[in-house]
Amino acid sequence: MNDNMEGGEDAELVGMGLRVSVSPAQTAFYIILVMLGTLGNAAVVGVIGKSVIVDRAGGRNSDIIIINMALSNLLVSVMRNTLLIVSDMGLELYSSKEWCQLLMGVWVWLRSVNVWSTLFLSAFHLQTLRRVAPVIGNLHAPRGLPKTLMLILGLIWCLNFIYSIPAHIFSTSGNMNSTETLMLVSSTTRPLLGCVWNFPSSYSGLAYATTSMVIHETIPIILMAITNLGSLYTLYTHSRMRSSVPDAPVMKRLPAERRAAKVILALIMLFIASWGTSIISVNYFNYNRGSSAEFLLVIARFANIIFIAMSPAVLAVGHRRLRSFIKSLLSK
């Protein structure tokens, strides 16, 4: 949905659209966050991915889920946040309608995968805690990658690709005077490369935004909160059982699971704070347009990057291989 659309040759190549005034301090801080997100998530994918490849058994399930989450973070940082930096630095970039449709679809797809991958990590840890004993099998036979887990991760990417199709259809290129009248958490908080939403009517655009807010943005946060409360309750019940059955397999794993629970809880709380702030800010813009809209969009812009930038540091606290990698870098 864009204002002041022009036809003819002006629609083929367009400018950057709406410019948001940002201070040099904001730009510098955003660049630092994007660099942290890109380098940090690349390190997570590289270090943990190498251990999964080297491991004859195919690696631990939790490591594969973490790689999937970090990969989605990395792609969002490279495909979207890096372009935002280029825009903030004042470099004039141009995009055609076809490129806008492709980019808007990719942005929504990657952000959607990001949120559901994080939810899956929380749900998987709850399921692991509820398991009363480790799975018994032939420890010497090579297992390879777990098929069920890979199928679920594949479904996350495929289903969210389907969800992103409207972003490909209902987006277009604006002109130098274009202003965004509809925003989604899963895309951008302003026209980037001149790309804007182009729904048939304001009602259809708000219907899509509302559906996205409920199904894709709000429900995952609620489910994350539920799964984390379930994990904490399961750890509490295990602690009460510890004195009565001290030699049970689950009791022996309790200290390690408690450490993992703290790391995952910190990750989910960081995600909820980041994603929740974006939801409030963007939907205030969509439905209110009050005097605080511009300020809240600046807040949303930084909230979108906080989780991507800080999640590798949170993971490094609780993951042995990441800690070893960081220590090896510091010792050089």
Side-chain angles (χ1 to χ4, degrees):
M1 223 186 313
N2 58 324
D3 301 326
N4 304 321
M5 284 293 293
E6 297 178 359
E9 296 180 357
D10 290 339
E12 295 179 2
L13 291 176
V14 299
M16 296 184 58
L18 177 66
R19 281 189 182 276
V20 175
S21 58
V22 291
S23 67
Q26 290 178 351
T27 301
F29 183 52
Y30 192 79
I31 291 175
I32 292 173
L33 291 177
V34 172
M35 290 180 61
L36 286 175
T38 303
L39 298 177
N41 284 286
V44 171
V45 173
V47 173
I48 303 181
K50 180 180 178 181
S51 67
V52 171
I53 295 174
V54 172
D55 190 350
R56 290 183 58 207
R60 296 189 304 172
N61 291 351
S62 59
D63 284 346
I64 297 174
I65 298 173
I66 290 174
I67 292 172
N68 180 74
M69 183 188 71
L71 179 62
S72 66
N73 287 339
L74 177 61
L75 290 175
V76 170
S77 186
V78 171
M79 295 292 294
R80 193 191 70 157
N81 297 332
T82 303
L83 293 175
L84 286 172
I85 291 179
V86 174
S87 174
D88 287 343
M89 296 178 68
L91 182 61
E92 295 287 346
L93 297 178
Y94 296 88
S95 178
S96 64
K97 176 182 177 180
E98 290 74 19
W99 274 106
C100 280
Q101 290 178 328
L102 174 63
L103 290 173
M104 289 287 267
V106 169
W107 292 334
V108 171
W109 182 32
L110 294 178
R111 286 288 286 176
S112 304
V113 170
N114 188 229
V115 62
W116 289 103
S117 296
T118 308
L119 170 61
F120 184 57
L121 175 64
S122 178
F124 174 81
H125 186 250
L126 174 60
Q127 186 270 341
T128 302
L129 289 176
R130 290 181 178 274
R131 191 184 303 148
V132 297
V135 179
I136 300 175
N138 186 356
L139 299 178
H140 300 287
R143 292 184 293 112
L145 294 175
K147 295 182 180 179
T148 303
L149 176 62
M150 299 305 295
L151 176 62
I152 294 175
L153 295 179
L155 283 175
I156 290 176
W157 285 84
C158 291
L159 293 178
N160 282 290
F161 176 78
I162 296 174
Y163 166 79
S164 69
I165 290 177
H168 172 77
I169 299 174
F170 299 111
S171 58
T172 187
S173 57
N175 54 57
M176 292 300 294
N177 297 319
S178 295
T179 57
E180 190 68 285
T181 59
L182 177 70
M183 295 186 185
L184 295 176
V185 176
S186 50
S187 58
T188 63
T189 54
R190 58 195 166 93
L192 178 61
L193 307 183
C195 300
V196 292
W197 292 103
N198 187 34
F199 287 96
S201 67
S202 60
Y203 297 104
S204 60
L206 286 176
Y208 180 73
T210 303
T211 303
S212 174
M213 179 185 67
V214 173
I215 297 178
H216 171 66
E217 297 163 5
T218 305
I219 290 180
I221 286 184
I222 295 174
L223 293 178
M224 286 181 198
I226 293 174
T227 53
N228 272 274
L229 289 175
S231 296
L232 293 175
Y233 177 76
T234 303
L235 282 172
Y236 171 74
T237 56
H238 287 175
S239 299
R240 295 185 61 183
M241 293 169 54
R242 192 171 188 177
S243 58
S244 58
V245 193
D247 295 328
V250 69
M251 297 300 109
K252 296 179 179 179
R253 300 201 314 270
L254 189 58
E257 296 296 352
R258 183 181 286 112
R259 288 193 298 271
K262 290 179 180 179
V263 172
I264 294 177
L265 178 61
L267 270 178
I268 301 306
M269 291 179 63
L270 179 64
F271 186 90
I272 291 175
S274 171
W275 196 259
T277 302
S278 294
I279 290 175
I280 294 172
S281 302
V282 170
N283 284 286
Y284 180 88
F285 174 88
N286 285 337
Y287 298 102
N288 193 310
R289 305 292 174 88
S291 58
S292 302
E294 184 176 352
F295 170 75
L296 288 176
L297 289 181
V298 174
I299 298 298
R301 177 168 174 260
F302 284 96
N304 283 334
I305 187 63
I306 288 295
F307 175 77
I308 294 176
M310 301 306 297
S311 59
V314 176
L315 285 171
V317 173
H319 201 283
R320 178 174 54 84
R321 289 188 177 90
L322 288 175
R323 289 200 305 271
S324 300
F325 173 74
I326 294 175
K327 289 179 180 178
S328 65
L329 290 179
L330 295 177
S331 61
K332 291 181 179 179

